[in-house]
């Protein structure tokens, strides 16, 4: 009986545990333990803005039904912090000094919010939004506040802004970039989303970072910006992205760059230690660049593959799209995958906007490397799959821009993905 | 054995009758005329595309390892014990984050009119167990069967064709 | 993978389409993508909506329904649908020519001074041909007679329309008579087709097709009438030299596009514009009034006034995208309802002028023959006002233009030939055909169709045929396509023509003092002016003492789209011409109809359809049809390959 230990109960940790247990899907066999410093069963981080808005309670966030861990025979140590890893002895140390031995260890420690790094960041009333606890604290603070400043125009910042607006707060979003969602959208796509957010009553200030979170007698008064402007706020949410949580790995002497470094089988530099999810660095399928990704879908995929590898069912990881997002603001759905703008020569950008919908594709050497869909996200998955599979799309540009294109246009690349029946020759020929 | 909708591409005329029937079967009104009169949109869950000269329906395959299930951060998309992949009747309500739309390489999940993702859920079977789209297909390009039956049928047809050629039927 | 993305062969059109993408404006090409896939039952002609027990659709694979509710089979449904299209095309052309006849009649009665005949010679010639007396009669008298004779052609009568009887060779009339395809009247046959195709009347596909041919012959009458009456009222065209394409638009001018079909509108606008140049200049337009043409109205004013053609029906939205078009004045047919929507972003005035053809969002200024000049001035004033509002706004005018020599009416052609042989003008043409310098004649007609990269089929087929010494004529949007690509110029003759063709075109050109060859493709006018080509063919046939169905003359509609084109294509076949179609007409659901139109009809009328979407294969098939006819006349023949080397 092998001993598997998983640090982290998020998307990657959960997917790994389930993969190790395998098709049997029930208790028995290997010993699987999940440790998490959060006190809850696994929940959906993506949904916590709903807690801020007061729309969702914890039950609505849970990812698995009650009794799930027991039914699969997972041992859980929730609310327990791991303080160190002794990789030579295949042991981890918990904060109470207890040691846990493992045959295979998964680091699924996730990421933590990037700090604003300005004076006053520790003031009461200044929050980040990463955990369920963060969300409940913000919800409580919002009861007392009438206006809020959100720092950062990324997905978390904007979702937080919408949630606070739903509670009736006056909300201003301070964005350093020239447009919101700069990682997910180009300027034109962002404008459409910004218009929808503005219609909800959210204000924007661009090209600015906070210089200080001002407090008076232990109370948050507001935000001073780089240009000296002052914004009154009883509540600040900092949404400047996340950084991989690598402390344990680094202290254990495991190779770390921006995130934990892993090989194709998601193994770290320490024998028997794997890593998956937001804590590690992966190479992007389009750019080949290594970076942390902080994407739910990637964490699930890596967690599953790490679990299979840990269980001895060799499953190489081919890399993923580190940029793959969907969201909806004010009735405007958004989806983007891969690059959002051309990166110099050799790239081609084509776009079409009609009836409030904007669709842009980015090509290189006849292959799709990026897609931005705003207002109408139909067939978004086909774009993502084409980018992932490096399919040649030359000649199908009108279809790609018109959303009248499906997997059948790319039978070789896509149609057999699920082991489906053979496609007719006429379709095969279309692709060549 | 789990049955699904399979496509005989060479028969599709691109009339979109399947899409209409699918949408209608997902309305409360239940008929095209009533649904139109009441302004009710059911949301069609299959697509018909033009691929060169071929009209190509795209249908959900209810994948074994479904991309949409793995991608759902809300715990809404699931594979039912009978093999149907759906976001209805699971632990949680779909929250409309659209990650399943992005995850499906076949492009057959849509943003539904009610703020939730819509996809083929086989909630349209009639008394004979036939889906609305299959019943609506005037050329029988869509068939409801198992993968094994479908492939066997194609092989039989190919053999009959070959036999006819051999016996001088031009 | 596949073809490169190519929506148009015209670089100016491509520039404008890129502009449309940037500005988020939908064009026909985008809407076509949105329409895909188009319904296969409609594409194959197997959808019947002629009664409310339907719509019925016949399964072309045979294992679904084999008949509609009423029992109509695939053959019946396909044939009915096809001939309804012919009836619609006939209704359109005959509406156009009836309108001209009414205007001529009003002038004769002193009620429409603007439409005084500009060519009294043609008036009297047409009258004589129609069997009307002309000696000693006033122009008004003769005009009234011609107009009333024309209008009588619409009603049911004991004999076929005068515009059929007096224009087709006797052999044609006899062949059509044997088939039962001579119409009793133009309106009468449109009405008859609607009757016989309604629920429970004619179910015999062959009988239906004969009824359709009868309708197409009525369409021919209407087209010929349209040409004759336009020539009478506005003058017989003679060659003009001008430019084509969007590059003729000027930022500093009041740009007015004339779009649609009937010269009744465009002619009075041209006249008003020439009188109001000063007004435009006073309003700040240094370039004055700049008229441009779109579609067949473009052809009418091109050949009579040298107005530059800038777009065809499929690309009619693109001139607006330049931001420089101040007004687009339209009458009817092929005018896209999308125009006001596109114009919204640019301030272009879309002005509709016909009571039976309004478009939501357009300005409607109804044209009455009695007061046309005032209305034309009103239109120009609106355009000047739009220019004033536009000043200072950026424009995007593509630089592309090409040289055009246009306006080869039958009369002009005969006059040009008579410079070589005054006594027997047709002799040089006939001798060169017999001798092989000219292998045959191809008439290009029809539209652009969004399903074909704009102009691609025209250019590819013409290039292949030119080098094989085929003389080419063009009308309608086909002529527009050639205009925008420089094929209506002597330079194109130098570049593309085979040695025999080049020699003949050069001889005619030089005999006429042009200092060079005639253009590679001879522009004969608008789509109704296909009748001019029949006149030429009939004259050549008479000179050779054969019927048209033995001449090495072929018609081609390589990018057709309209019901009018289906009607014209069918009468081209009825006139005895092999007729190429570059897209499948909606008949694929019936083998009976396909065989009848591409095969059996040949035995009865000599003409037949050649359906070939691939332009290179089409050129080869057209050339083969020419060679078959040459062989039939006992003339020397060339193979496709041999001809290429020649």
């Amino acid at each position: 009986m092998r001993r598997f230990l998983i640090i982290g109960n998020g998307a990657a940790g959960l997917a790994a545990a389930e993969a190790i247990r395998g098709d049997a899907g029930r208790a028995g066999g290997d010993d699987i333990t999940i440790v998490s410093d959060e006190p809850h069963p696994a929940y959906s981080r993506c949904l916590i803005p709903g807690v801020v808005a007061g729309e969702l309670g914890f039950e609505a966030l849970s990812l698995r039904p009650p009794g799930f861990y027991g039914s699969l025979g997972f041992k859980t140590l929730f609310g327990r912090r791991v303080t160190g890893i002794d990789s030579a002895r295949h042991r981890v140390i918990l904060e109470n000094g207890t040691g846990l031995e493992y045959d295979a260890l998964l680091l699924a420690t996730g990421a933590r919010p990037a700090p604003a790094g300005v004076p006053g960041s520790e003031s009461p009333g200044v929050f980040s939004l990463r955990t369920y606890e963060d969300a409940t604290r913000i919800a409580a603070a919002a009861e007392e506040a009438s206006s809020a400043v959100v720092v950062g125009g990324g997905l978390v910042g904007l979702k937080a802004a919408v949630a606070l607006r739903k509670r009736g707060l006056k909300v201003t979003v301070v964005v350093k970039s020239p447009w919101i969602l700069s990682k997910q959208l180009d300027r034109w796509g962002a404008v459409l989303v910004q218009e929808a957010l503005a219609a909800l009553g959210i204000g924007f200030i661009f090209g600015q970072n906070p210089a200080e979170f001002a407090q008076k007698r232990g109370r948050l008064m507001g935000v001073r910006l780089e240009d000296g402007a002052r914004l009154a706020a009883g509540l600040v949410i900092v949404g400047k992205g996340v950084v991989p949580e690598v402390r344990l790995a680094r202290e254990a002497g495991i190779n770390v760059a921006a995130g934990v470094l892993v090989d194709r089988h998601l193994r770290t530099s320490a024998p028997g230690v794997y890593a998956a999810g937001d804590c590690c660095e992966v190479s992007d399928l389009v750019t080949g660049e290594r970076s942390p990704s902080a994407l739910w879908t990637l964490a699930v995929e890596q967690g599953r593959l790490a679990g299979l590898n840990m269980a001895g069912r060799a499953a190489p990881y081919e890399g993923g799209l580190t940029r793959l997002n969907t969201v909806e603001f004010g009735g405007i759905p958004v989806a983007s995958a891969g690059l959002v703008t051309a990166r110099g020569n050799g790239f081609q950008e084509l776009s079409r906007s009609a009836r409030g919908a904007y669709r842009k594709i980015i090509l290189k050497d006849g292959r799709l490397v990026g897609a931005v869909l705003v207002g109408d996200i139909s067939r978004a998955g086909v774009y993502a799959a084409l980018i992932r599979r490096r399919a040649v799309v030359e000649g199908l540009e009108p279809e790609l821009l018109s959303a009248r294109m499906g997997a059948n246009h790319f039978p070789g690349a896509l149609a057999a993905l699920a082991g489906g029946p053979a496609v007719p020759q006429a379709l095969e020929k279309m692709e060549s | 054995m789990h049955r699904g909708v399979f496509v005989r591409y060479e028969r599709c005329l691109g009339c979109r009758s399947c899409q209409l029937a699918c949408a209608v079967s997902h309305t409360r009104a239940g008929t095209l005329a009533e649904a139109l009169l009441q302004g009710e949109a059911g949301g069609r869950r299959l697509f018909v595309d033009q691929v060169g000269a071929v009209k190509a329906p795209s249908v959900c395959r209810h994948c074994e390892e479904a991309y949409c299930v793995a991608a759902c951060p809300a715990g809404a998309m699931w594979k039912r014990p009978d093999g149907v992949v759906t976001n209805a009747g699971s632990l949680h309500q779909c929250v409309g984050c659209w990650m399943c739309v992005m995850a499906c390489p076949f492009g057959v999940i849509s943003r539904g009119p009610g703020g939730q993702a819509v996809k083929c859920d086989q909630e349209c079977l009639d008394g004979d167990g036939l889906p609305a789209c299959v019943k609506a297909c005037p050329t029988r390009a869509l068939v409801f069967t198992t993968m094994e039956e479908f492939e066997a049928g194609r092989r039989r047809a190919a053999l009959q064709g070959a036999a006819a050629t051999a016996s001088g039927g031009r | 993978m596949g073809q490169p993305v190519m929506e148009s062969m015209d670089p100016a059109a491509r520039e404008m389409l890129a502009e449309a993408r940037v500005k988020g404006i939908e064009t026909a090409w985008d809407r076509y993508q949105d329409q895909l896939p188009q319904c296969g039952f409609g594409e194959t002609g197997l959808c019947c909506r002629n009664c409310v027990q339907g719509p019925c659709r016949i399964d072309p694979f045979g294992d679904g329904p084999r008949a509609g509710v009423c029992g109509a089979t695939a053959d019946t449904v396909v044939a009915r649908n096809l001939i309804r299209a012919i009836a619609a095309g006939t209704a359109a052309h005959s509406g156009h020519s009836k309108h001209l006849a009414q205007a001529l009649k009003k002038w004769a009665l002193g009620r429409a001074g603007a439409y005084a005949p500009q060519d009294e010679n043609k008036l009297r010639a047409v009258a004589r041909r129609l069997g009307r007396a002309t000696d000693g009669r006033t122009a008004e008298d003769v005009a009234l007679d011609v107009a009333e004779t024309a209008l009588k052609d619409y009603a049911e009568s004991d004999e076929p329309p005068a515009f059929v009887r007096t224009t087709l060779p006797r052999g044609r009339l006899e062949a059509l008579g044997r088939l039962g395809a001579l119409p009793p009247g133009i309106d009468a046959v449109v009405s008859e087709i609607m009757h016989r195709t309604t629920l429970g009347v004619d179910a015999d596909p062959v009988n239906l097709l004969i009824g359709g041919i009868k309708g197409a012959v009525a369409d021919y009458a209407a087209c010929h009438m349209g040409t004759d009456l336009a020539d009478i009222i506005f003058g017989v065209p003679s060659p003009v030299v001008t430019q084509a394409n969007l590059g003729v638009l000027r930022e500093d001018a009041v740009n007015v596009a004339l779009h649609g079909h009937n010269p009744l509108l465009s002619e009075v606008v041209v006249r008003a514009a020439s009188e109001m140049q000063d007004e435009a200049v006073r309003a700040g337009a240094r370039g004055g009034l700049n008229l441009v043409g779109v579609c067949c109205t473009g052809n009418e004013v091109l050949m009579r006034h040298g107005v530059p053609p800038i777009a065809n029906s499929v690309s009619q939205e693109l001139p607006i995208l330049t931001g420089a078009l101040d007004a687009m004045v339209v009458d009817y047919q092929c005018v896209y309802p999308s125009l006001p929507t596109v114009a919204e972003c640019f301030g272009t005035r879309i002005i509709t002028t016909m009571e039976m053809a309004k478009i939501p969002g357009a300005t409607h200024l109804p044209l009455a023959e009695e007061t046309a000049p005032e209305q034309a001035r009103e239109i120009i004033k609106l355009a000047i006002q739009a220019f004033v509002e536009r000043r200072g706004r950026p424009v995007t005018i593509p630089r592309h233009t090409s040289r055009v020599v246009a306006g080869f009416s039958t009369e002009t052609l005969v006059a040009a030939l008579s410079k070589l042989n005054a006594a027997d003008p047709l002799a040089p043409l006939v001798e060169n055909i017999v001798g092989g310098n000219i292998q045959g004649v191809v008439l290009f007609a029809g539209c652009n169709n969004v399903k074909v990269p704009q102009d691609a089929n025209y250019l590819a087929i013409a290039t292949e045929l030119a080098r094989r010494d085929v003389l080419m004529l063009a009308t309608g949007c086909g002529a527009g396509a050639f205009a925008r690509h420089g094929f209506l110029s002597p330079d194109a003759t130098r570049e593309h023509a085979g040695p025999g063709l080049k020699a003949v075109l050069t001889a005619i050109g030089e005999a006429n003092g042009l200092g060079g060859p005639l253009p590679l493709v001879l522009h004969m006018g608008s789509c109704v002016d296909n009748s001019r080509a029949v006149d030429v063919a009939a004259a050549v046939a008479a000179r050779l003492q054969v019927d048209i169905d033995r001449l090495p003359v072929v018609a081609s509609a390589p990018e057709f789209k309209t019901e009018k084109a289906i009607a014209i294509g069918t009468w081209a076949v009825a006139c005895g011409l092999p007729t190429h179609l570059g897209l499948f007409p909606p008949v694929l659901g019936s083998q009976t109809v396909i065989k009848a139109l591409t095969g059996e009809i040949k035995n009865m009328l000599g003409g037949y359809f050649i359906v070939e979407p691939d332009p290179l294969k089409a050129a080869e098939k057209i050339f083969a049809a020419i060679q078959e006819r040459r062989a039939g006349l006992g003339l020397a023949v060339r193979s496709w390959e041999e001809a290429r080397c020649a």
Side-chain angles (χ1 to χ4, degrees), chain A residues 161-204:
Chain A
V162 172
L164 292 173
R165 188 74 199 107
K166 283 183 182 165
R167 299 191 74 113
L169 276 73
K170 177 178 182 296
V171 181
T172 306
V173 181
V174 176
V175 190
K176 182 64 184 174
S177 313
W179 62 86
I180 58 170
L181 296 171
S182 59
K183 286 203 172 63
Q184 289 83 18
L185 290 178
D186 63 351
R187 181 172 219 130
W188 177 234
V191 164
L192 295 175
V193 177
Q194 190 193 325
E195 281 172 359
L197 288 167
L200 298 177
I202 294 170
F204 291 91

Side-chain angles (χ1 to χ4, degrees), chain C residues 437-504:
Chain C
N437 272 336
I438 294 176
Q439 288 290 303
V441 182
V442 168
L443 165 67
F444 287 101
C447 331
N448 281 142
N449 186 316
V450 72
K451 296 175 180 176
V452 178
Q454 188 189 11
D455 311 331
N457 286 358
Y458 286 109
L459 300 183
I461 297 174
T463 306
E464 291 298 321
L465 295 178
R467 67 207 279 192
R468 291 178 173 85
D469 293 328
V470 174
L471 178 65
M472 295 178 289
L473 317 173
T475 61
C477 284
F482 290 126
R484 285 178 289 98
H485 292 276
F487 276 49
L488 301 187
S489 73
D491 284 344
T493 308
R494 295 187 188 100
E495 188 183 340
H496 297 291
L501 179 62
K502 196 180 288 176
V504 176

Side-chain angles (χ1 to χ4, degrees), chain A residues 207-405:
Chain A
Q208 289 294 311
N209 260 333
E212 183 193 359
F213 300 124
Q215 50 178 324
K216 204 171 182 181
R217 291 183 215 100
R219 252 179 85 96
L220 180 71
M221 300 307 291
V223 181
R224 181 168 59 82
L225 301 181
E226 289 170 327
D227 65 358
R230 288 171 187 278
L231 303 171
L235 171 59
V236 167
I237 297 180
V238 178
K240 300 286 283 181
V242 296
V243 291
E245 179 55 73
V246 297
R247 187 185 58 82
L248 282 174
R250 183 173 281 136
E251 288 175 7
I254 290 169
N255 288 347
V256 170
V260 179
L261 295 175
V262 291
D263 67 7
R264 277 181 78 217
H265 291 86
L266 297 154
R267 289 179 297 222
T268 69
S269 61
V273 182
Y274 296 73
D278 294 1
C279 69
C280 60
E281 256 189 43
V282 291
S283 34
D284 185 86
L285 265 181
V286 173
T287 62
E289 291 159 11
R290 293 189 72 90
S291 70
S293 81
L295 286 183
W296 178 272
T297 45
L298 273 192
V300 172
E301 193 179 353
Q302 292 163 21
R304 191 176 71 83
L305 291 170
L308 293 175
N309 284 309
M310 290 163 76
R313 298 192 289 276
Y317 178 57
E318 306 296 347
L321 294 179
T322 60
R323 297 195 205 196
L324 184 82
N325 288 285
T326 56
V327 68
E328 176 162 334
F329 290 116
I332 306 288
V334 173
S336 72
L339 301 183
V340 296
T341 49
R343 285 194 169 183
N345 288 339
F347 288 85
Q348 190 189 5
E349 277 194 14
L350 297 168
S351 66
R352 176 184 178 190
S353 40
R355 295 187 292 260
Y358 171 65
R359 194 163 278 235
K360 179 169 94 173
I361 54 174
I362 299 143
L363 303 133
K364 183 163 197 299
D365 304 329
R367 292 169 201 277
L368 192 66
V369 293
V372 175
L373 283 63
V374 179
D376 170 14
I377 59 166
S378 56
R379 322 309 281 276
V382 178
Y383 297 79
L386 290 173
I387 295 171
R388 200 177 282 127
R389 308 222 155 226
R390 300 187 177 95
V392 174
V393 300
E394 216 161 17
L396 285 164
E397 291 90 343
E399 285 85 355
L400 283 163
L401 286 174
S402 76
R404 297 285 173 265
M405 167 274 319

Side-chain angles (χ1 to χ4, degrees), chain B residues 90-116:
Chain B
S90 56
L91 185 60
H92 295 305
Q93 290 268 311
C94 169
V95 297
C97 77
W98 317 129
M99 270 319 285
C100 54
V101 176
M102 183 60 113
C104 176
F106 307 106
V108 293
I109 309 182
S110 309
R111 173 178 180 259
Q116 297 191 328

Side-chain angles (χ1 to χ4, degrees), chain B residues 8-150:
Chain B
R8 296 191 282 188
Y9 293 93
E10 69 280 9
R11 285 171 170 254
C12 177
L13 293 184
C15 69
R16 298 178 182 274
S17 299
C18 52
Q19 291 189 315
L20 276 184
C22 174
V24 170
S25 76
H26 287 89
T27 61
R28 283 183 306 281
T31 67
L32 177 62
E34 277 301 303
L36 292 176
L37 287 171
Q38 291 167 20
E40 204 189 340
R44 49 100 180 83
R45 291 112 201 275
L46 76 169
F47 297 80
V48 187
D49 299 316
Q50 181 88 37
V51 184
V54 178
K55 291 156 207 275
S58 267
V59 295
C60 173
R61 290 148 192 259
H62 298 278
C63 308
E64 285 305 323
E65 295 277 349
Y67 300 86
C68 55
V69 173
C72 179
M77 194 69 79
W78 68 309
K79 193 172 183 70
R80 285 195 324 224
D82 65 358
V84 171
V85 175
T86 171
N87 61 351
S90 56
L91 185 60
H92 295 305
Q93 290 268 311
C94 169
V95 297
C97 77
W98 317 129
M99 270 319 285
C100 54
V101 176
M102 183 60 113
C104 176
F106 307 106
V108 293
I109 309 182
S110 309
R111 173 178 180 259
Q116 297 191 328
V118 295
K119 68 175 294 297
C120 172
D121 51 12
Q122 293 191 9
E123 297 282 347
C124 57
L125 306 190
D126 67 357
D128 301 326
L130 275 186
C133 56
V134 171
K135 238 179 8 172
C137 181
T139 61
R140 300 184 204 169
L142 300 180
V143 285
F144 191 54
T145 181
T146 64
M147 167 100 77
E148 288 72 12
E149 273 297 313
F150 183 72

Side-chain angles (χ1 to χ4, degrees), chain C residues 97-167:
Chain C
S97 39
K98 192 192 285 171
H99 203 163
L100 283 163
Q102 296 286 11
L104 184 62
K105 183 175 171 181
K106 283 181 186 171
W107 172 78
L109 297 174
R111 301 210 307 258
Y115 297 106
Q118 301 297 303
D119 195 327
E120 210 179 307
N121 287 338
K122 178 125 188 184
L123 170 66
R124 290 179 186 276
V126 169
R128 278 192 298 275
R129 195 194 68 214
L130 293 172
R132 315 309 302 174
T134 58
D135 290 348
R137 298 176 77 190
T138 64
E140 283 84 350
D141 227 12
V142 179
L144 186 62
D145 203 351
V146 167
E148 285 184 336
T149 306
L151 289 170
K152 247 187 248 166
D153 269 1
Y154 285 83
E156 186 155 343
S157 151
D158 294 337
E159 52 182 0
F163 280 83
V164 174
R165 267 188 290 123
T166 66
T167 60

Side-chain angles (χ1 to χ4, degrees), chain A residues 94-121:
Chain A
L94 301 183
E95 60 189 337
N96 63 2
T98 323
L100 283 175
E101 299 197 337
Y102 62 80
D103 296 310
L105 169 67
L106 177 68
L107 296 176
T109 47
R112 58 190 159 78
V118 297
S121 292

